[in-house]
Amino acid sequence: MATVLALAAAGCNSTEKQATSEVSPPTGLGSFYSQQPSWKGCGGNFQCATAQVPLDYSKPSGQKLGIALIRLPARNKSERIGSLFINPGGPGGSGVGFVRQAAEAFGSDLRKRFDIVGFDPRGVGQSDPVHCNTGRQLDAFFAADSSPDDPKETAAFAAESKGFAQNCGAKAASELPYVGTVNASRDIDVLRAAVGDKKLTYYGASYGTYLGAFYAQQFPSNVRALVLDGAVDPTTSSTGLLVEQAKGFETAFRAFADDCVKKPNCPLGTSMTAAQAKLTSFLAQTDKKPLGNTRDTRQVTEAHAVMGIASALYLKENWPVLRQALAQAFQKSDGTLLLALADQMVERHPDGSYSNQTDANMAVNCVDKPNPASAKAYGKAAAEAERVAPHFGAFVVWGGLPCVYWPVQSKKQPTPITAKGAKPILVIGTLRDPATPYKWAQNLASQLSSGVLLTLDGDGHTAYLQGNPCITRATDDYLVTTDPPKPGTICR
């Protein structure tokens, strides 16, 4: 969602303007590539528009989808290079919302030279969103015991997961086959042309790295500069991804706990051993007896507690809040803060409604890769995850169970992405990233024929926008000049 030892001087003295040669649109898609979105002011200095893309690229004359766009125009028109497209991850994250909140935080060189452009991928946010479940249905899903201890509990969570999938099948059947990354990456090329850019300049975080890498694989000659921050490994299976992600959260919790036990009044105790034991005991107790909270009538289950802890681990700046939340839970049996953190993670609103992030997340994940055929297979993956990530493994893996029952299944096996022929692509990895383990960044950078790895020796999910001067300088220089930092650069 997250920091370099010595950074070799990156870049050259002159900036690279957009290439001037025309890129011919794919056959049958000329009208989409030649469209000119109608930009209108939408608050502050932002402009908003909608672009059209085909639902099914094999039938471009058929149903169309509207892709919501937002942009913050470059400050210096005389030095403008083009557009910097942003995807914040998820899948299911709103690029429109992210740019509205974070565009001003991008480096001053980028703000001067680029329009900062956000978009909601198909099925997300304002782009013909997938809506499957009501607020009450999602409340029940997130409260359910997603670390089942026996066949009865497994059957109960399987029923909850099957209901989730059936709701999507009933309410979004026509869109589900087309919301995956393959089509979303094709949409980006349409958007690139629609804003008048000859080549793509892109920053993708978390899942946004997978989306960006997929784009480069399909359109290598259209790449100008791609930053893939908090990388996802394209070769990882659907359950393998969840197992590795659980390990990432375990690593991040250990980093948090190591910091906490050195401070006075740490709710986890005064040693790492005590901290691990304290969390294990707390989760076991909450599994038997949920906590209360002062916000509403919901009980705070073990699943809520784990989700709240995981949510806080995304940013190191949230560690003080997590200490407070754990102290409240341990000492007062009050889960209010943990529940607030969990609600923040899944975008639950105070009125009990949700954004479509959860529905869209499942819709994309379930069609992107093949899924196990049964809950039993998920159980094996969960057991493996629990061995290597005792506090997070079961929850993370079982959370993907709706994909077993999904109305649309993929048969395309995960494969390396090489993007042969693309210009240098910058991959950024954070050593103690909870959600996208560092080795994924290493793997993606090595797969890409032009991949360059930049490392943050730090905590939290993704590196850019965390304020590390080394990361900011290296990333901004690359996006402006297309010259990446020296391979192997480490920022601290």
Side-chain angles (χ1 to χ4, degrees):
M1 326 212 225
T3 347
V4 182
L5 260 176
L7 172 65
C12 57
N13 294 324
S14 62
T15 61
E16 175 176 304
K17 296 290 184 179
Q18 287 283 357
T20 56
S21 60
E22 293 290 339
V23 179
S24 299
T27 303
L29 298 175
S31 62
F32 294 100
Y33 275 72
S34 63
Q35 68 183 300
Q36 297 182 351
S38 178
W39 296 96
K40 297 180 180 179
C42 54
N45 296 316
F46 291 100
Q47 300 171 342
C48 294
T50 301
Q52 299 295 313
V53 298
L55 172 68
D56 181 351
Y57 274 91
S58 69
K59 299 176 182 178
S61 61
Q63 184 178 342
K64 298 176 178 60
L65 298 175
I67 303 298
L69 293 161
I70 189 171
R71 73 179 178 189
L72 187 62
R75 289 174 176 162
N76 191 330
K77 291 185 178 180
S78 65
E79 295 186 72
R80 180 181 176 275
I81 295 173
S83 301
L84 171 58
F85 282 87
I86 309 294
N87 181 274
S94 168
V96 170
F98 180 80
V99 164
R100 189 178 287 280
Q101 293 173 1
E104 295 286 2
F106 279 78
S108 59
D109 283 347
L110 302 185
R111 286 286 298 105
K112 182 170 64 174
R113 315 296 279 278
F114 291 96
D115 298 341
I116 308 297
V117 179
F119 63 99
D120 286 352
R122 55 172 61 207
V124 174
Q126 301 173 45
S127 297
D128 286 286
V130 172
H131 278 296
C132 308
N133 296 279
T134 65
R136 288 190 177 185
Q137 288 169 332
L138 288 175
D139 278 350
F141 178 75
F142 287 123
D145 189 344
S146 54
S147 60
D149 301 314
D150 55 47
K152 183 178 179 180
E153 291 182 351
T154 300
F157 188 67
E160 196 70 49
S161 299
K162 189 173 184 178
F164 188 121
Q166 289 176 334
N167 290 340
C168 283
K171 296 180 181 179
S174 62
E175 193 173 352
L176 292 184
Y178 305 104
V179 296
T181 301
V182 173
N183 286 314
S185 62
R186 296 196 67 175
D187 294 343
I188 293 176
D189 203 52
V190 171
L191 300 180
R192 170 199 60 74
V195 301
D197 285 5
K198 309 306 180 187
K199 305 282 185 179
L200 178 71
T201 307
Y202 174 91
Y203 169 85
S206 194
Y207 161 78
T209 67
Y210 186 56
L211 180 60
F214 231 99
Y215 176 90
Q217 183 80 342
Q218 295 190 92
F219 304 100
S221 63
N222 291 1
V223 169
R224 177 185 174 276
L226 304 186
V227 174
L228 309 181
D229 184 7
V232 175
D233 182 357
T235 66
T236 309
S237 70
S238 59
T239 53
L241 185 148
L242 296 173
V243 172
E244 291 300 320
Q245 190 171 65
K247 289 167 65 176
F249 280 110
E250 203 74 39
T251 297
F253 175 77
R254 287 195 296 270
F256 160 76
D258 183 61
D259 177 78
C260 182
V261 299
K262 296 172 183 175
K263 299 181 183 299
N265 303 316
C266 173
L268 292 168
T270 58
S271 69
M272 182 63 73
T273 300
Q276 298 277 21
K278 186 77 172 179
L279 182 61
T280 299
S281 174
F282 166 67
L283 294 178
Q285 293 171 9
T286 310
D287 188 26
K288 296 177 181 177
K289 184 180 179 181
L291 307 175
N293 87 94
T294 60
R295 300 176 70 211
D296 52 45
T297 60
R298 287 176 295 165
Q299 290 187 308
V300 182
T301 66
E302 183 186 14
H304 286 133
V306 175
M307 193 187 308
I309 294 168
S311 176
L313 294 175
Y314 272 78
L315 282 175
K316 190 173 183 178
E317 287 76 6
N318 289 337
W319 286 7
V321 179
L322 181 54
R323 288 196 299 271
Q324 185 180 355
L326 292 176
Q328 184 185 69
F330 293 173
Q331 299 163 15
K332 300 179 181 179
S333 296
D334 183 349
T336 301
L337 273 176
L338 284 175
L339 186 62
L341 288 166
D343 286 350
Q344 183 180 47
M345 187 176 189
V346 296
E347 297 188 2
R348 184 187 191 272
H349 305 137
D351 65 359
S353 65
Y354 288 74
S355 76
N356 94 307
Q357 174 188 271
T358 297
D359 289 341
N361 179 280
M362 204 71 73
V364 175
N365 281 333
C366 291
V367 300
D368 265 3
K369 297 181 179 182
N371 301 294
S374 67
K376 184 177 181 180
Y378 255 88
K380 290 181 179 179
E384 176 190 348
E386 199 161 17
R387 286 193 294 272
V388 295
H391 301 113
F392 298 92
F395 298 92
V396 173
V397 172
W398 279 113
L401 187 60
C403 289
V404 167
Y405 311 104
W406 209 248
V408 183
Q409 294 289 331
S410 172
K411 295 181 180 179
K412 184 175 176 58
Q413 294 297 325
T415 57
I417 288 180
T418 62
K420 186 176 180 180
K423 287 189 173 183
I425 296 173
L426 183 61
V427 180
I428 309 178
T430 301
L431 290 184
R432 294 174 294 281
D433 189 314
T436 51
Y438 177 66
K439 77 173 188 178
W440 287 355
Q442 293 176 302
N443 293 348
L444 178 59
S446 66
Q447 290 170 37
L448 291 166
S449 61
S450 60
V452 177
L453 178 63
L454 173 64
T455 299
L456 170 62
D457 183 357
D459 302 280
H461 183 38
T462 71
Y464 194 70
L465 299 182
Q466 284 206 27
N468 182 281
C470 173
I471 289 288
T472 300
R473 186 169 63 250
T475 303
D476 290 1
D477 284 353
Y478 163 71
L479 287 170
V480 170
T481 68
T482 72
D483 292 333
K486 182 179 178 180
T489 296
I490 301 175
C491 292
R492 298 188 188 278

